[in-house]
Amino acid sequence: MTSRRGAPPGEQGREGAEMVRAALSPPFLLLLLLLSGAPRSKAAPDQDEIQYLPGLAKQPSFRQYSGYLRGSGSKHLHYWFVESQKDPKSSPVVLWLNGGPGCSSLDGLLTEHGPFLIQPDGATLEYNPYSWNLIANVLYLESPAGVGFSYSDDKSYATNDTEVAQSNFEALKDFFRLFPEYKDNELFLTGESYAGIYIPTLAVLVMEDPSMNFQLQEVSHIVSSSGLNIYNLYAPCAGGVPSHLRYEKDTVVVQDLGNIFTRLPLKRMWHQVLLRTGAKMRLDPPCTNTTAASTYLNNAYVRKALHIPKQLPSWDVCNLLVNIQYRRLYQTMYSQYLKLLAAQKYRILLYNGDVDMACNFMGDEWFVDSLNQKMEVQRRPWLVDYGDSGEQVAGFVKEFSHIAFLTIKGAGHMVPTDKPQAALTMFFRFLNKQPY
Protein backbone atom coordinates (compact mmCIF):
# COMPACT_ATOMS: atom_id res chain seq x y z
CA MET A 1 0.00 0.00 0.00
CA THR A 2 2.58 2.54 -1.09
CA SER A 3 2.57 5.26 -3.70
CA ARG A 4 5.50 6.87 -5.45
CA ARG A 5 8.64 6.95 -3.26
CA GLY A 6 6.94 4.68 -0.72
CA ALA A 7 4.38 7.22 0.48
CA PRO A 8 2.19 5.92 3.30
CA PRO A 9 -1.54 5.25 3.23
CA GLY A 10 -3.47 8.47 3.78
CA GLU A 11 -0.78 10.58 2.10
CA GLN A 12 -3.07 11.45 -0.66
CA GLY A 13 -5.60 13.24 0.35
CA ARG A 14 7.37 20.46 24.95
CA GLU A 15 9.03 20.63 27.55
CA GLY A 16 12.46 21.44 28.62
CA ALA A 17 15.97 20.25 29.09
CA GLU A 18 18.98 22.45 28.73
CA MET A 19 21.51 22.57 25.91
CA VAL A 20 24.84 21.25 27.13
CA ARG A 21 28.32 22.20 25.92
CA ALA A 22 29.14 21.00 22.40
CA ALA A 23 25.39 20.53 21.83
CA LEU A 24 25.37 17.22 23.65
CA SER A 25 21.86 17.79 24.92
CA PRO A 26 19.34 15.12 25.90
CA PRO A 27 17.47 14.25 22.71
CA PHE A 28 14.06 12.78 21.95
CA LEU A 29 14.20 9.43 20.34
CA LEU A 30 12.22 6.90 18.39
CA LEU A 31 13.40 3.43 19.23
CA LEU A 32 12.51 0.14 17.58
CA LEU A 33 12.48 -2.97 19.74
CA LEU A 34 12.09 -6.43 18.30
CA LEU A 35 10.61 -8.58 21.03
CA SER A 36 11.49 -12.22 21.16
CA GLY A 37 8.87 -14.63 19.99
CA ALA A 38 6.18 -15.70 22.43
CA PRO A 39 3.03 -17.68 21.79
CA ARG A 40 -0.06 -15.59 21.26
CA SER A 41 -2.66 -16.15 23.91
CA LYS A 42 -5.88 -14.54 25.06
CA ALA A 43 -6.82 -11.13 23.72
CA ALA A 44 -6.82 -7.66 25.26
CA PRO A 45 -8.66 -6.84 28.51
CA ASP A 46 -12.37 -6.37 27.81
CA GLN A 47 -12.83 -4.10 30.83
CA ASP A 48 -10.48 -1.50 29.32
CA GLU A 49 -12.06 -1.36 25.87
CA ILE A 50 -13.60 2.02 25.00
CA GLN A 51 -17.13 1.18 23.90
CA TYR A 52 -18.24 4.69 23.00
CA LEU A 53 -16.11 7.83 22.76
CA PRO A 54 -17.98 11.15 23.08
CA GLY A 55 -17.31 13.82 20.45
CA LEU A 56 -17.14 11.58 17.39
CA ALA A 57 -19.82 11.76 14.72
CA LYS A 58 -19.06 8.10 13.95
CA GLN A 59 -17.36 5.60 16.23
CA PRO A 60 -14.10 4.13 14.88
CA SER A 61 -13.83 0.77 13.14
CA PHE A 62 -10.59 0.00 15.04
CA ARG A 63 -10.53 -0.97 18.70
CA GLN A 64 -9.17 1.27 21.43
CA TYR A 65 -8.51 0.78 25.13
CA SER A 66 -8.01 3.00 28.15
CA GLY A 67 -7.00 1.94 31.63
CA TYR A 68 -4.00 1.57 33.92
CA LEU A 69 -0.66 -0.18 33.74
CA ARG A 70 1.34 -1.07 36.84
CA GLY A 71 4.46 1.03 37.23
CA SER A 72 7.03 0.54 39.95
CA GLY A 73 5.91 0.64 43.57
CA SER A 74 2.36 1.90 43.99
CA LYS A 75 2.29 3.79 40.69
CA HIS A 76 -0.60 3.44 38.25
CA LEU A 77 0.13 4.84 34.79
CA HIS A 78 -2.84 5.70 32.60
CA TYR A 79 -2.69 4.46 29.03
CA TRP A 80 -4.78 4.94 25.90
CA PHE A 81 -4.10 2.31 23.25
CA VAL A 82 -5.40 2.59 19.68
CA GLU A 83 -5.13 -0.39 17.38
CA SER A 84 -3.81 -0.04 13.86
CA GLN A 85 -6.31 0.77 11.11
CA LYS A 86 -4.29 -1.38 8.72
CA ASP A 87 -3.73 -4.79 10.32
CA PRO A 88 -3.26 -4.85 14.11
CA LYS A 89 -1.79 -8.35 14.17
CA SER A 90 1.08 -7.51 11.83
CA SER A 91 1.52 -3.77 12.56
CA PRO A 92 4.20 -2.62 15.01
CA VAL A 93 3.37 -1.36 18.49
CA VAL A 94 4.46 2.25 19.07
CA LEU A 95 4.85 3.71 22.57
CA TRP A 96 4.51 7.51 22.72
CA LEU A 97 5.71 9.69 25.62
CA ASN A 98 5.46 13.47 25.88
CA GLY A 99 8.10 15.37 27.85
CA GLY A 100 8.12 18.14 30.44
CA PRO A 101 9.04 16.50 32.66
CA GLY A 102 5.46 16.45 33.82
CA CYS A 103 3.42 16.67 30.59
CA SER A 104 0.76 14.30 29.32
CA SER A 105 1.08 12.03 26.30
CA LEU A 106 -2.60 12.58 25.58
CA ASP A 107 -1.52 15.92 24.16
CA GLY A 108 0.29 13.92 21.47
CA LEU A 109 -2.85 11.88 20.87
CA LEU A 110 -5.34 14.75 20.69
CA THR A 111 -3.24 17.46 18.98
CA GLU A 112 -0.45 15.74 17.03
CA HIS A 113 -0.73 12.27 15.51
CA GLY A 114 -3.65 10.51 17.17
CA PRO A 115 -6.54 8.99 15.18
CA PHE A 116 -8.76 11.93 16.04
CA LEU A 117 -7.91 15.54 16.87
CA ILE A 118 -9.63 17.81 19.39
CA GLN A 119 -11.46 20.76 17.88
CA PRO A 120 -11.52 24.32 19.33
CA ASP A 121 -14.94 23.79 20.95
CA GLY A 122 -13.42 21.28 23.37
CA ALA A 123 -16.23 18.83 22.64
CA THR A 124 -15.77 17.61 19.08
CA LEU A 125 -13.24 15.15 17.67
CA GLU A 126 -12.39 14.97 13.97
CA TYR A 127 -10.62 12.05 12.33
CA ASN A 128 -6.97 12.69 11.46
CA PRO A 129 -6.09 11.67 7.87
CA TYR A 130 -2.41 11.48 8.89
CA SER A 131 -2.79 9.50 12.10
CA TRP A 132 0.12 7.26 13.01
CA ASN A 133 -2.35 4.47 13.76
CA LEU A 134 -2.97 4.20 10.02
CA ILE A 135 0.10 1.97 10.02
CA ALA A 136 0.81 1.15 13.68
CA ASN A 137 -0.78 0.21 16.99
CA VAL A 138 -0.08 3.23 19.22
CA LEU A 139 0.20 3.18 23.02
CA TYR A 140 -0.04 6.63 24.64
CA LEU A 141 1.29 6.45 28.22
CA GLU A 142 0.89 9.24 30.78
CA SER A 143 4.19 9.23 32.69
CA PRO A 144 5.46 9.73 35.33
CA ALA A 145 2.80 9.15 38.00
CA GLY A 146 1.02 12.41 38.80
CA VAL A 147 0.81 13.42 35.14
CA GLY A 148 -2.63 13.55 33.54
CA PHE A 149 -4.75 10.71 34.91
CA SER A 150 -1.78 8.72 36.27
CA TYR A 151 -1.42 8.47 40.04
CA SER A 152 0.34 6.77 42.93
CA ASP A 153 -1.37 5.21 45.93
CA ASP A 154 1.08 6.92 48.29
CA LYS A 155 0.51 10.30 46.58
CA SER A 156 4.27 10.82 46.42
CA TYR A 157 5.29 12.34 43.09
CA ALA A 158 8.93 13.24 43.67
CA THR A 159 10.93 11.22 41.15
CA ASN A 160 13.99 11.21 38.89
CA ASP A 161 15.25 9.92 35.55
CA THR A 162 16.24 6.48 36.82
CA GLU A 163 13.00 5.83 38.70
CA VAL A 164 10.90 6.94 35.74
CA ALA A 165 12.81 4.62 33.41
CA GLN A 166 12.17 1.70 35.76
CA SER A 167 8.49 2.58 36.16
CA ASN A 168 8.02 2.89 32.39
CA PHE A 169 9.75 -0.46 31.94
CA GLU A 170 7.40 -2.08 34.45
CA ALA A 171 4.41 -0.51 32.69
CA LEU A 172 5.63 -1.77 29.33
CA LYS A 173 5.93 -5.30 30.69
CA ASP A 174 2.43 -4.96 32.17
CA PHE A 175 1.09 -3.87 28.79
CA PHE A 176 2.29 -7.11 27.20
CA ARG A 177 0.83 -9.04 30.11
CA LEU A 178 -2.56 -7.46 29.39
CA PHE A 179 -2.12 -7.63 25.60
CA PRO A 180 -0.17 -10.87 25.05
CA GLU A 181 -1.32 -11.02 21.43
CA TYR A 182 1.16 -8.23 20.65
CA LYS A 183 4.27 -9.90 22.09
CA ASP A 184 5.49 -10.89 18.62
CA ASN A 185 5.03 -7.41 17.13
CA GLU A 186 7.87 -4.97 16.55
CA LEU A 187 7.89 -2.29 19.24
CA PHE A 188 8.89 1.34 18.70
CA LEU A 189 9.52 3.68 21.63
CA THR A 190 8.88 7.28 20.68
CA GLY A 191 8.71 10.58 22.48
CA GLU A 192 9.01 14.33 22.40
CA SER A 193 11.28 16.81 24.20
CA TYR A 194 12.18 15.51 27.67
CA ALA A 195 11.32 12.05 26.41
CA GLY A 196 14.86 12.45 25.08
CA ILE A 197 15.76 11.31 28.58
CA TYR A 198 12.83 8.96 29.15
CA ILE A 199 13.41 6.91 26.01
CA PRO A 200 17.19 6.25 26.07
CA THR A 201 17.13 5.36 29.77
CA LEU A 202 14.21 3.01 29.12
CA ALA A 203 16.06 1.61 26.10
CA VAL A 204 19.06 0.68 28.22
CA LEU A 205 16.81 -1.39 30.48
CA VAL A 206 15.25 -3.07 27.48
CA MET A 207 18.65 -3.69 25.92
CA GLU A 208 19.81 -5.43 29.09
CA ASP A 209 16.76 -7.69 29.03
CA PRO A 210 17.85 -10.82 27.12
CA SER A 211 14.34 -11.33 25.75
CA MET A 212 14.38 -7.99 23.94
CA ASN A 213 16.24 -6.73 20.89
CA PHE A 214 15.93 -3.30 19.29
CA GLN A 215 16.72 -0.48 16.77
CA LEU A 216 16.11 3.36 17.32
CA GLN A 217 15.46 7.15 16.61
CA GLU A 218 15.77 10.55 18.41
CA VAL A 219 15.87 14.47 18.60
CA SER A 220 17.26 17.10 21.03
CA HIS A 221 16.18 20.51 22.32
CA ILE A 222 17.09 23.87 23.80
CA VAL A 223 14.80 26.21 25.70
CA SER A 224 14.65 29.89 24.82
CA SER A 225 13.04 32.63 26.90
CA SER A 226 12.30 35.08 24.08
CA GLY A 227 8.83 36.36 23.25
CA LEU A 228 8.84 34.19 20.15
CA ASN A 229 6.98 30.92 19.99
CA ILE A 230 9.82 28.55 20.94
CA TYR A 231 7.92 25.62 19.45
CA ASN A 232 7.59 27.24 16.02
CA LEU A 233 9.69 30.29 15.24
CA TYR A 234 7.25 31.66 12.65
CA ALA A 235 3.97 30.76 14.32
CA PRO A 236 2.03 33.24 16.47
CA CYS A 237 2.21 32.91 20.24
CA ALA A 238 -1.22 31.76 21.42
CA GLY A 239 -2.60 34.28 23.89
CA GLY A 240 0.14 36.81 23.12
CA VAL A 241 3.69 36.98 24.40
CA PRO A 242 3.51 35.40 27.86
CA SER A 243 5.03 36.57 31.08
CA HIS A 244 6.83 33.83 33.01
CA LEU A 245 4.08 33.59 35.60
CA ARG A 246 0.44 34.45 35.81
CA TYR A 247 -2.43 33.59 38.14
CA GLU A 248 -5.93 32.30 37.43
CA LYS A 249 -8.11 32.31 40.54
CA ASP A 250 -6.79 29.51 42.76
CA THR A 251 -4.61 28.02 40.07
CA VAL A 252 -0.93 28.79 39.70
CA VAL A 253 -0.11 28.76 35.99
CA VAL A 254 3.53 28.66 34.91
CA GLN A 255 4.15 29.39 31.24
CA ASP A 256 7.71 28.23 30.88
CA LEU A 257 9.19 24.77 30.75
CA GLY A 258 12.62 23.98 32.10
CA ASN A 259 14.26 27.39 32.28
CA ILE A 260 12.56 28.81 35.32
CA PHE A 261 13.30 25.67 37.31
CA THR A 262 17.00 25.50 36.58
CA ARG A 263 17.79 27.68 39.60
CA LEU A 264 17.25 25.53 42.68
CA PRO A 265 16.36 28.32 45.15
CA LEU A 266 13.50 29.40 42.86
CA LYS A 267 12.42 25.80 42.42
CA ARG A 268 12.34 25.23 46.19
CA MET A 269 10.45 28.50 46.67
CA TRP A 270 7.69 27.42 44.29
CA HIS A 271 7.49 24.00 45.91
CA GLN A 272 6.98 25.60 49.34
CA VAL A 273 4.43 28.11 48.03
CA LEU A 274 2.38 25.44 46.31
CA LEU A 275 2.35 23.08 49.27
CA ARG A 276 1.55 25.91 51.70
CA THR A 277 -1.29 27.45 49.68
CA GLY A 278 -2.76 24.21 48.39
CA ALA A 279 -3.13 25.81 44.98
CA LYS A 280 -3.74 23.53 42.02
CA MET A 281 -0.46 22.87 40.22
CA ARG A 282 -0.74 23.45 36.48
CA LEU A 283 2.09 23.90 34.02
CA ASP A 284 1.35 25.37 30.60
CA PRO A 285 3.83 25.16 27.73
CA PRO A 286 4.52 28.70 26.44
CA CYS A 287 2.57 29.99 23.43
CA THR A 288 0.18 27.04 23.48
CA ASN A 289 -3.54 26.84 24.11
CA THR A 290 -4.56 23.67 25.94
CA THR A 291 -8.14 24.71 26.75
CA ALA A 292 -9.85 22.41 24.22
CA ALA A 293 -8.03 19.25 25.30
CA SER A 294 -8.55 20.05 29.00
CA THR A 295 -12.25 20.74 28.46
CA TYR A 296 -12.71 17.47 26.60
CA LEU A 297 -10.77 15.22 28.99
CA ASN A 298 -12.48 16.71 32.04
CA ASN A 299 -15.95 16.04 30.64
CA ALA A 300 -17.64 13.52 32.94
CA TYR A 301 -18.79 11.35 30.04
CA VAL A 302 -15.32 11.27 28.52
CA ARG A 303 -13.74 10.32 31.85
CA LYS A 304 -16.29 7.52 32.21
CA ALA A 305 -15.56 6.30 28.67
CA LEU A 306 -11.84 6.22 29.50
CA HIS A 307 -12.44 4.34 32.78
CA ILE A 308 -10.94 7.11 34.93
CA PRO A 309 -11.65 6.77 38.70
CA LYS A 310 -14.02 9.47 39.95
CA GLN A 311 -11.76 10.46 42.83
CA LEU A 312 -8.89 11.57 40.61
CA PRO A 313 -8.40 15.34 40.12
CA SER A 314 -9.01 17.13 36.84
CA TRP A 315 -6.70 16.56 33.88
CA ASP A 316 -4.13 19.19 32.91
CA VAL A 317 -1.65 18.98 30.07
CA CYS A 318 1.30 19.40 32.48
CA ASN A 319 1.70 19.06 36.25
CA LEU A 320 3.82 21.70 37.96
CA LEU A 321 4.34 19.69 41.16
CA VAL A 322 5.75 16.75 39.20
CA ASN A 323 8.02 19.14 37.32
CA ILE A 324 9.47 21.01 40.28
CA GLN A 325 10.03 17.82 42.28
CA TYR A 326 11.63 16.03 39.34
CA ARG A 327 15.35 15.33 39.74
CA ARG A 328 17.25 15.43 36.45
CA LEU A 329 20.18 13.05 36.60
CA TYR A 330 21.50 13.36 33.05
CA GLN A 331 22.78 16.33 31.07
CA THR A 332 23.57 14.25 27.98
CA MET A 333 22.67 10.91 26.44
CA TYR A 334 26.06 10.66 24.74
CA SER A 335 27.20 7.46 26.49
CA GLN A 336 23.84 5.77 25.93
CA TYR A 337 24.06 6.38 22.17
CA LEU A 338 27.61 5.15 21.95
CA LYS A 339 26.55 1.99 23.76
CA LEU A 340 23.70 1.44 21.31
CA LEU A 341 25.84 2.21 18.26
CA ALA A 342 28.66 -0.04 19.45
CA ALA A 343 26.33 -3.02 19.05
CA GLN A 344 26.21 -2.22 15.28
CA LYS A 345 22.72 -3.66 14.91
CA TYR A 346 20.37 -0.78 15.76
CA ARG A 347 18.85 1.72 13.29
CA ILE A 348 18.72 5.28 14.63
CA LEU A 349 16.92 8.28 13.12
CA LEU A 350 17.11 11.73 14.72
CA TYR A 351 14.77 14.43 13.40
CA ASN A 352 13.84 18.07 14.00
CA GLY A 353 11.43 20.64 12.68
CA ASP A 354 13.68 23.36 11.29
CA VAL A 355 11.76 26.30 12.82
CA ASP A 356 11.72 24.83 16.31
CA MET A 357 13.65 26.79 18.92
CA ALA A 358 12.87 24.36 21.74
CA CYS A 359 14.46 21.45 19.84
CA ASN A 360 16.96 23.31 17.72
CA PHE A 361 18.08 21.28 14.72
CA MET A 362 21.66 22.60 14.75
CA GLY A 363 22.17 21.23 18.25
CA ASP A 364 20.95 17.81 17.17
CA GLU A 365 23.13 17.81 14.10
CA TRP A 366 26.15 18.70 16.26
CA PHE A 367 25.17 15.90 18.62
CA VAL A 368 25.05 13.35 15.80
CA ASP A 369 28.33 14.60 14.35
CA SER A 370 29.98 14.33 17.77
CA LEU A 371 29.27 10.59 17.81
CA ASN A 372 31.93 10.25 15.07
CA GLN A 373 30.17 7.57 13.07
CA LYS A 374 31.10 6.65 9.49
CA MET A 375 29.36 8.92 6.94
CA GLU A 376 27.47 7.00 4.24
CA VAL A 377 25.28 9.65 2.55
CA GLN A 378 26.12 13.35 2.51
CA ARG A 379 23.43 15.88 3.42
CA ARG A 380 20.73 15.83 0.73
CA PRO A 381 17.04 16.76 0.31
CA TRP A 382 14.32 14.22 1.02
CA LEU A 383 11.00 14.42 -0.84
CA VAL A 384 7.29 13.96 -0.20
CA ASP A 385 4.69 13.48 -2.93
CA TYR A 386 1.93 16.06 -2.34
CA GLY A 387 -0.31 14.87 -5.16
CA ASP A 388 -1.39 17.81 -7.34
CA SER A 389 1.74 19.80 -6.48
CA GLY A 390 3.99 16.79 -7.12
CA GLU A 391 7.11 15.88 -5.18
CA GLN A 392 8.44 18.65 -2.96
CA VAL A 393 11.47 19.00 -0.70
CA ALA A 394 10.33 18.04 2.80
CA GLY A 395 13.67 18.73 4.47
CA PHE A 396 17.21 17.40 4.51
CA VAL A 397 18.79 14.18 5.64
CA LYS A 398 22.29 12.83 6.11
CA GLU A 399 23.12 9.25 6.95
CA PHE A 400 25.85 7.45 8.86
CA SER A 401 26.43 3.72 9.20
CA HIS A 402 23.78 3.14 11.87
CA ILE A 403 22.31 6.58 12.45
CA ALA A 404 20.63 9.27 10.33
CA PHE A 405 19.77 12.91 10.98
CA LEU A 406 16.69 14.45 9.30
CA THR A 407 14.97 17.84 9.27
CA ILE A 408 11.36 18.66 8.37
CA LYS A 409 11.07 21.93 6.45
CA GLY A 410 8.70 24.46 8.01
CA ALA A 411 7.84 22.31 11.02
CA GLY A 412 8.11 23.40 14.62
CA HIS A 413 8.40 21.37 17.82
CA MET A 414 5.19 19.40 17.25
CA VAL A 415 6.15 18.08 13.83
CA PRO A 416 2.99 15.96 13.28
CA THR A 417 0.85 19.02 14.06
CA ASP A 418 2.68 21.38 11.69
CA LYS A 419 3.55 18.96 8.86
CA PRO A 420 1.35 15.89 9.31
CA GLN A 421 1.89 14.43 5.84
CA ALA A 422 5.67 14.78 5.98
CA ALA A 423 5.69 13.35 9.52
CA LEU A 424 3.63 10.31 8.51
CA THR A 425 5.81 9.78 5.42
CA MET A 426 8.98 9.87 7.54
CA PHE A 427 7.40 7.52 10.09
CA PHE A 428 6.25 5.12 7.38
CA ARG A 429 9.65 4.98 5.68
CA PHE A 430 11.40 4.43 9.00
CA LEU A 431 9.08 1.63 10.05
CA ASN A 432 9.41 -0.03 6.66
CA LYS A 433 13.18 0.45 6.35
CA GLN A 434 12.75 2.47 3.16
CA PRO A 435 15.17 5.18 1.99
CA TYR A 436 14.08 8.66 3.02
Side-chain angles (χ1 to χ4, degrees):
M1 297 179 66
T2 61
S3 58
R4 195 155 45 119
R5 293 191 60 84
E11 183 163 302
Q12 60 281 10
R14 303 188 178 154
E15 298 124 319
E18 305 157 51
M19 179 71 85
V20 195
R21 287 189 189 89
L24 303 184
S25 58
F28 127 37
L29 97 85
L30 175 61
L31 171 64
L32 169 62
L33 302 163
L34 300 178
L35 298 183
S36 62
R40 292 182 182 271
S41 54
K42 65 179 183 180
D46 292 338
Q47 70 274 14
D48 286 357
E49 185 170 1
I50 299 173
Q51 301 293 339
Y52 176 85
L53 188 64
L56 288 171
K58 181 181 179 181
Q59 294 300 301
S61 57
F62 56 87
R63 293 191 176 192
Q64 53 178 332
Y65 300 83
S66 172
Y68 286 86
L69 301 175
R70 294 195 302 243
S72 56
S74 63
K75 297 175 176 63
H76 305 268
L77 303 186
H78 174 247
Y79 79 93
W80 189 337
F81 178 59
V82 292
E83 288 190 342
S84 172
Q85 298 183 41
K86 182 183 176 184
D87 180 8
K89 291 183 179 179
S90 62
S91 297
V93 173
V94 173
L95 170 69
W96 174 264
L97 297 173
N98 274 77
C103 295
S104 168
S105 299
L106 299 191
D107 188 46
L109 189 159
L110 292 175
T111 70
E112 296 188 66
H113 45 61
F116 13 74
L117 302 176
I118 189 66
Q119 300 304 294
D121 62 6
T124 306
L125 299 175
E126 294 290 341
Y127 281 96
N128 179 6
Y130 304 108
S131 172
W132 285 10
N133 93 315
L134 287 169
I135 55 175
N137 304 289
V138 187
L139 171 63
Y140 296 89
L141 183 67
E142 296 196 281
S143 175
V147 172
F149 292 129
S150 294
Y151 67 98
S152 180
D153 291 333
D154 61 10
K155 295 182 171 55
S156 175
Y157 298 115
T159 190
N160 60 53
D161 296 330
T162 301
E163 291 176 357
V164 169
Q166 184 63 44
S167 191
N168 289 340
F169 184 52
E170 296 297 328
L172 190 59
K173 290 193 293 185
D174 197 36
F175 171 80
F176 287 108
R177 180 187 64 82
L178 291 175
F179 295 83
E181 65 271 31
Y182 287 108
K183 279 187 173 290
D184 290 338
N185 297 51
E186 294 178 332
L187 170 66
F188 288 76
L189 305 183
T190 70
E192 188 171 87
S193 286
Y194 201 76
I197 298 293
Y198 296 157
I199 297 298
T201 51
L202 173 58
V204 169
L205 294 179
V206 173
M207 184 171 64
E208 293 171 350
D209 187 320
S211 69
M212 298 186 183
N213 182 11
F214 64 90
Q215 305 174 26
L216 98 104
Q217 145 170 9
E218 83 171 67
V219 359
S220 69
H221 59 279
I222 150 183
V223 178
S224 170
S225 58
S226 72
L228 296 171
N229 184 336
I230 67 168
Y231 297 122
N232 189 322
L233 188 60
Y234 298 119
C237 185
V241 176
S243 59
H244 286 301
L245 304 172
R246 63 185 173 83
Y247 292 86
E248 286 185 359
K249 297 181 180 178
D250 297 327
T251 300
V252 177
V253 182
V254 178
Q255 288 200 304
D256 194 3
L257 292 172
N259 269 1
I260 95 169
F261 298 120
T262 57
R263 298 187 299 277
L264 288 178
L266 181 59
K267 185 172 180 175
R268 292 194 190 103
M269 177 194 76
W270 272 107
H271 190 194
Q272 293 168 2
V273 168
L274 291 169
L275 293 180
R276 183 172 63 249
T277 62
K280 181 174 173 54
M281 282 68 78
R282 187 178 119 212
L283 181 62
D284 277 358
C287 297
T288 61
N289 186 340
T290 64
T291 301
S294 296
T295 300
Y296 180 78
L297 291 170
N298 287 316
N299 180 290
Y301 294 103
V302 173
R303 287 173 61 113
K304 183 177 180 180
L306 298 180
H307 315 117
I308 306 302
K310 291 182 179 180
Q311 68 270 22
L312 290 187
S314 61
W315 183 93
D316 285 317
V317 68
C318 299
N319 186 308
L320 177 56
L321 186 58
V322 170
N323 183 282
I324 63 176
Q325 293 185 114
Y326 195 99
R327 186 182 175 197
R328 301 174 181 183
L329 303 179
Y330 299 98
Q331 291 296 320
T332 174
M333 291 285 100
Y334 187 79
S335 62
Q336 283 83 352
Y337 287 112
L338 290 182
K339 185 175 182 180
L340 294 168
L341 291 167
Q344 297 189 357
K345 61 179 180 179
Y346 306 131
R347 287 187 302 131
I348 304 174
L349 170 67
L350 298 89
Y351 73 85
N352 288 86
D354 64 7
V355 294
D356 178 14
M357 293 173 64
C359 285
N360 137 329
F361 75 91
M362 291 181 291
D364 275 337
E365 189 164 4
W366 295 336
F367 177 83
V368 175
D369 290 342
S370 75
L371 297 171
N372 296 315
Q373 302 301 300
K374 180 183 177 182
M375 173 79 76
E376 291 191 342
V377 179
Q378 295 286 343
R379 191 175 191 268
R380 64 170 178 81
W382 68 284
L383 309 179
V384 170
D385 187 350
Y386 286 100
D388 292 342
S389 58
E391 287 188 321
Q392 300 292 330
V393 174
F396 294 86
V397 62
K398 67 179 180 182
E399 301 177 53
F400 301 83
S401 55
H402 292 280
I403 188 168
F405 173 73
L406 179 147
T407 64
I408 297 89
K409 184 168 68 75
H413 191 66
M414 291 74 172
V415 172
T417 300
D418 295 335
K419 297 292 179 179
Q421 187 169 339
L424 180 58
T425 301
M426 172 194 69
F427 185 56
F428 179 86
R429 291 175 186 169
F430 179 70
L431 262 59
N432 290 279
K433 302 181 182 179
Q434 296 182 355
Y436 299 103

